[in-house]
Every structure is written in C-alpha cells, then in structure tokens.
Amino acid sequence: MLYLLPPGVCNLLNPAAIYANNEISLGDVEIYGFDYDYTLAQYSNLLHSMIFNTARDILIEQFKYPEGLGKYDYIPGFAIRGLHYDVQKSLLMKIDAFHYVQLGTAYRGLKPVPDEEVIELYGGTQHIPLYQMSDFYGKGPSLKQFMDIFSLPEMTLLSSVIDYFINHGIEFDQVHLYKDISDAIRDVHVKGVMYKWIEKDMEQYILHGDEIYAVLNRLVNHKKKLFLITNSPFSFVDKGMKHMVGKNWRDLFDMVIVQADKPNFFTDRRKPFRKLDDKGSLQWDKINQLEKGKIYKEGNLFDFLRLTGWRGSKVLYFGDHLYSDLADLMLRHGWRTGAIVPELETEIRIINTEQYMHSLTWQQALTGLLERMQMYQDAESKQVLLEWMKERQEIRSLTKNLFNPQFGSIFRTFHNPTYFSRRLVRFSDIYMASISCLLNYDVNFTFYPRRTPLQHEAPLWMDQLCTGCMKTPFLEEMVHIR
C-alpha cells in the first residue's frame, strides 16, 4: 500500500542551519581559520554582471573578438556552480556522482543539446570516463569543473561567445576560445579591477557585514584563536574588514596571510612567508615566527604548521572552494573543514515549497509503482507502465526546473547526488549558507550527521515517499532558529 505524505510534514528544513557530513564537536575546536572572498565577505550578485561585462569588453578590445559580442549581457540564473565544461566538444553540462551526464542539462552556447547527440558524442553512453573527468582539483585533460562562485560569469560568457560564433557561422578553435575567455576573466581579478569596484561601493557589494563581526567577536570572547588565509591583497582585505568589523579588526586575529596563492599554499613548500608593514609594504627580514597582529604574504602551510603548531582536529577552517580551500586540509593535514555554500539558502527555500513537495511526493509514488508493477507484461499493463514512466519523467523535469531551468539543483541530478555534492561530502565536515549560521549554535555544540539508509538497509526504515522526511529528533525546534 502506498502512503502519500502531506507536504506540510516535510516543511522542516531551515536555511540558517548547519548541516553535518561528519560528527564534529565545536568544543574540541581551539582555532578557527577563514578564507576571505565568499566566506567572510559575501558579495552581491551585482558583481557577476560587472565581471561579465568587463571580461566581454577585454575580449573585444584586447583579444579582437567580434564587436557583436557587445550585445550580450549577463544572464542571471543561467548557470549553476559545479558544472563541467568539455573543451573539445564545447559542452557545458551537469554530471552526477557516478560520472553520468544528466540528460537535458548539456548546453552548447545558450541552447540545449539533444539527448541523442550527447549520447552519440560520448560513444553511445552518458558516462564520462574517470581519466577525462578531473584530477584532485577538478581539472582533467579535456574537462574543467567550475567550482567557485566567481565562475558563474565565466560560464555565462563562455556560453554567450559560443552562441555568437554558432549563430554567425564563425569557425573557432575550442581550446583557444576557452583559454581566451579564462584569461579575460583572470585579468578582471589579477589586474585588480574587481577590487576597485568593491572598494568604491562596499554597501552595495558586501552583504551581512554586521553578522561577521558578531561571529568573530563571540569566538574571541570564548578564547578561540582566529586566522585568515586569502588569495586577495592586503589593501582590499583591510578595507573590506574595516567596513564589516571595524578599524581594529586585526586585533581579533592571531594570524593574517594575504596573497597566499591557494591551493599551492597547501601543497608547495618553496615560498617562504614575507612580512608586510602596517601600510602593506613588503619587508625583507627572514620569518622565524608568526606574530599576532602582523600581516604576512605568500608562505606555505608546512611553515605555517611548523611555526604555529596548529595541527589536526583542533583546527576548523572555512572556505567556499571545495578544492582550493578544503580538500588538502582535510585529506592531507587532518584539519576539520566547513564549506560555505550560499546557494543552500535558496535551494532549501525551494525544497520547503508546497509545489516541490507535491512534485517529489508524486514522483516517488510513481517510482514505487513502477518498481512493484514492472513484472506485469500484458499489453494493457505495458501501456499503463509506459504512461507512468512518461509522467515520472515530466515530473522530474518539472522538479529540476524549480531550481534552475537549464541545470537544476547544484546538489542533485534527478535522483543521484551531483558530482559537486560528492565533493562537498568528501571534503567538508560541515556546510552552511554563510558564516553567520554559527550564531545559531553554542560554541560547544556537537554536530551529528543524520543516519540515512544505505540501499541494503532501506527495508529497515519507513518506505519513504518523500526523501526529506526522516524522523529526526529536535528538527521541529530547529525550524524556529532565526
């Protein structure tokens, strides 16, 4: 017998909650580390349009791309984080945890590629072989994974340029085009253009600054040590932190490291630390100790560990980039890690809608019917099964479109976790929409991951028709947080 759960039962997810992949007690954490961009400093989406427009103009003015590209504007909501781009095939697509392309989410330019063509391009399958997928940092021989939030304008620009070339019958070399666009986007960052925009109008671009002060101040009041490791330059970080935290922000931190060159900071022993004076000018003296209140540039994690003694699970580091910020720290050095995933807030609000719950509940019901009734092979039953399969596919597409019409949720394909989700679980102990979520928890709080059934354990659990309806203690109380 099938039981359809009322939508209200599932409306329990809290966008301001912290979610655990691994059990972790904050009481055991003595040292908190932070990235800066999109971790301490959350930026407005207005920044994406500025990055897109500037990189587009660089392509036209410096790389001599067609002036007709100037008619393309940034498309908010076109792309999502975690997508893969096949350079040789000019395909932007979403791939699941098992290396399968989610059909309906492959785009060449701004137009979807038919499922049949995608399958043909990959030799009659949706599967991408492991050797093509990526190395440890999301870069394979022919596939690039876009993992940071700054990559949203890059993906949109890439798709826009390809769209223009296809529509105008212009032949192009896929490798050169990809590199040109990557270089144009990089120039926006490296040449400091983006920093100048933010510095000119921090009220417009920086979000939740007052909450960042509250988080840091509370940690210091509870005798926690704080440090900052960022790839951004000191002058930019200094202005942003003064805006969010106040002119004495450096008093809160035991260590501040700028222009760290992550992820190389975590893997390369060659670059020594350099000290900056209060004005940000480089000093030349050899660094034998890291002093509280001082600013350091470059360096490497091995010297950092040697000079501080901050090792293992007493350190919790927060960042938004799963590869550059978190992977090495968790897997090679045993630090605890927290991933900042701003998209989580929007996705949870969608999950909590009645439309999503109705769609998911009926989708699960149809799946259960198909599984149970597939042994009936008479003509009438086959027709009913075909209708159910068609309806299930329509509902899956509808559910996907609730998150993003082109690519769906960053966390799921139709039913499998995405490749992004797989990395999120692998490289982070906890994840949350913003650092301010820490304000909802006691500094000694222990996060316990929910025990979810492995497939062979499923019969021991209720036959869930709504994937979010695990009977978890205290969940109703969590709704009222913030």
Side-chain angles (χ1 to χ4, degrees):
M1 179 179 290
L2 293 170
Y3 299 92
L4 295 184
L5 295 166
V9 173
C10 294
N11 195 9
L12 297 171
L13 296 177
N14 179 14
I18 293 176
Y19 297 91
N21 295 318
N22 193 17
E23 186 172 321
I24 175 174
S25 173
L26 296 184
D28 295 333
V29 176
E30 300 173 14
I31 303 130
Y32 283 75
F34 303 92
D35 180 32
Y36 180 71
D37 295 302
Y38 280 108
T39 299
L40 290 180
Q42 294 265 13
Y43 298 122
S44 161
N45 288 337
L46 293 169
L47 196 59
H48 297 159
S49 296
M50 300 287 284
I51 293 171
F52 177 95
N53 293 340
T54 305
R56 178 201 62 202
D57 293 345
I58 289 172
L59 285 177
I60 295 170
E61 295 165 12
Q62 297 181 25
F63 290 79
K64 306 306 178 185
Y65 273 56
E67 292 187 2
L69 288 172
K71 296 179 180 178
Y72 284 81
D73 293 318
Y74 180 66
I75 308 170
F78 171 72
I80 61 172
R81 202 151 53 115
L83 299 179
H84 282 80
Y85 180 69
D86 190 320
V87 176
Q88 297 292 346
K89 297 177 176 64
S90 300
L91 279 186
L92 185 66
M93 56 196 166
K94 188 167 77 171
I95 296 175
D96 73 11
F98 299 95
H99 299 190
Y100 283 84
V101 180
Q102 181 181 356
L103 294 180
T105 67
Y107 277 68
R108 182 178 288 118
L110 298 172
K111 296 181 176 63
V113 177
D115 295 344
E116 302 77 21
E117 184 178 340
V118 173
I119 292 170
E120 184 180 344
L121 284 169
Y122 290 102
T125 179
Q126 299 164 241
H127 185 262
I128 311 291
L130 177 63
Y131 76 91
Q132 287 186 7
M133 280 291 291
S134 63
D135 64 6
F136 193 63
Y137 299 105
K139 297 177 182 177
S142 61
L143 265 75
K144 152 80 174 174
Q145 188 179 16
F146 292 101
M147 289 296 278
D148 64 30
I149 302 169
F150 285 133
S151 65
L152 293 174
E154 181 176 356
M155 286 185 275
T156 308
L157 181 60
L158 188 60
S159 299
S160 298
V161 174
I162 292 171
D163 183 76
Y164 180 88
F165 281 8
I166 290 174
N167 290 342
H168 289 80
I170 301 172
E171 290 189 12
F172 61 94
D173 183 284
Q174 293 95 331
V175 175
H176 292 328
L177 183 141
Y178 170 71
K179 185 177 184 303
D180 288 347
I181 291 169
S182 296
D183 288 348
I185 290 285
R186 190 195 65 225
D187 283 353
V188 176
H189 298 283
V190 171
K191 294 183 178 178
V193 179
M194 186 191 74
Y195 300 138
K196 291 176 183 175
W197 302 331
I198 296 172
E199 289 172 1
K200 281 183 180 177
D201 196 348
M202 292 189 183
E203 287 290 342
Q204 184 178 24
Y205 288 117
I206 297 181
L207 308 174
H208 315 303
D210 53 339
E211 296 180 351
I212 298 305
Y213 171 75
V215 170
L216 300 178
N217 193 53
R218 187 173 75 146
L219 292 174
V220 170
N221 288 340
H222 284 85
K223 311 302 181 186
K224 306 295 183 181
K225 295 182 182 296
L226 308 184
F227 67 93
L228 176 66
I229 302 178
T230 176
N231 287 348
S232 291
F234 172 69
S235 60
F236 175 69
V237 174
D238 185 48
K239 290 172 185 174
M241 290 299 288
K242 283 177 178 175
H243 171 76
M244 292 188 290
V245 177
K247 64 180 182 179
N248 296 322
W249 70 271
R250 285 164 54 185
D251 294 343
L252 298 171
F253 287 86
D254 289 78
M255 222 70 65
V256 176
I257 299 164
V258 297
Q259 293 176 276
D261 190 30
K262 295 179 292 182
N264 295 326
F265 179 89
F266 299 127
T267 58
D268 192 337
R269 298 171 181 261
R270 288 175 295 179
K271 284 187 179 179
F273 284 106
R274 293 196 68 174
K275 191 187 295 184
L276 302 181
D277 64 19
D278 290 340
K279 295 180 180 179
S281 299
L282 280 172
Q283 305 295 290
W284 56 85
D285 47 325
K286 183 177 177 63
I287 305 301
N288 295 311
Q289 59 178 331
L290 297 175
E291 303 172 61
K292 179 177 171 60
K294 301 297 183 183
I295 306 297
Y296 298 92
K297 178 184 176 182
E298 298 176 343
N300 64 82
L301 184 68
F302 303 93
D303 285 345
F304 181 87
L305 297 175
R306 177 175 58 82
L307 294 171
T308 63
W310 294 349
R311 300 177 182 276
S313 58
K314 67 181 180 180
V315 184
L316 172 57
Y317 185 81
F318 293 93
D320 69 288
H321 197 299
L322 300 181
Y323 298 139
S324 297
D325 288 324
L326 306 182
D328 289 295
L329 295 177
M330 168 174 272
L331 299 182
R332 299 180 180 180
H333 300 285
W335 285 10
R336 311 310 294 266
T337 55
I340 304 303
V341 188
E343 299 94 335
L344 191 63
E345 182 174 357
T346 300
E347 295 226 357
I348 286 177
R349 294 194 189 283
I350 293 169
I351 288 170
N352 286 339
T353 62
E354 190 171 328
Q355 185 180 9
Y356 175 86
M357 283 304 163
H358 276 304
S359 297
L360 186 61
T361 301
W362 186 234
Q363 179 183 315
Q364 294 292 81
L366 285 170
T367 303
L369 284 168
L370 287 166
E371 183 178 39
R372 291 175 177 86
M373 306 303 286
Q374 62 185 312
M375 69 283 297
Y376 297 102
Q377 292 297 307
D378 59 276
E380 186 178 357
S381 296
K382 283 184 176 181
Q383 183 60 36
V384 171
L385 286 168
L386 284 172
E387 290 174 2
W388 283 347
M389 290 172 70
K390 181 182 177 184
E391 184 176 1
R392 176 174 178 259
Q393 186 58 38
E394 289 172 353
I395 294 172
R396 290 169 86 180
S397 295
L398 174 66
T399 307
K400 182 205 87 169
N401 292 345
L402 292 174
F403 295 95
N404 177 284
Q406 293 75 236
F407 301 101
S409 166
I410 74 167
F411 299 105
R412 277 200 182 275
T413 57
F414 291 127
H415 54 277
N416 288 334
T418 57
Y419 196 85
F420 176 90
S421 283
R422 178 184 179 184
R423 295 316 218 195
L424 178 66
V425 171
R426 185 71 183 91
F427 298 146
S428 65
D429 292 292
I430 53 177
Y431 63 99
M432 66 211 75
S434 73
I435 281 291
S436 61
C437 295
L438 285 170
L439 295 172
N440 299 324
Y441 299 86
D442 186 84
V443 291
N444 294 309
F445 190 87
T446 298
F447 293 98
Y448 297 96
R450 301 302 180 212
R451 185 183 174 99
T452 53
L454 301 171
Q455 290 301 307
H456 67 274
E457 298 174 329
L460 301 175
W461 298 63
M462 63 178 283
D463 187 15
Q464 294 174 76
L465 296 174
C466 175
T467 55
C469 287
M470 299 302 299
K471 295 291 186 181
T472 50
F474 313 119
L475 208 53
E476 290 187 10
E477 289 87 335
M478 287 291 289
V479 181
H480 305 295
I481 293 180
R482 286 167 64 83

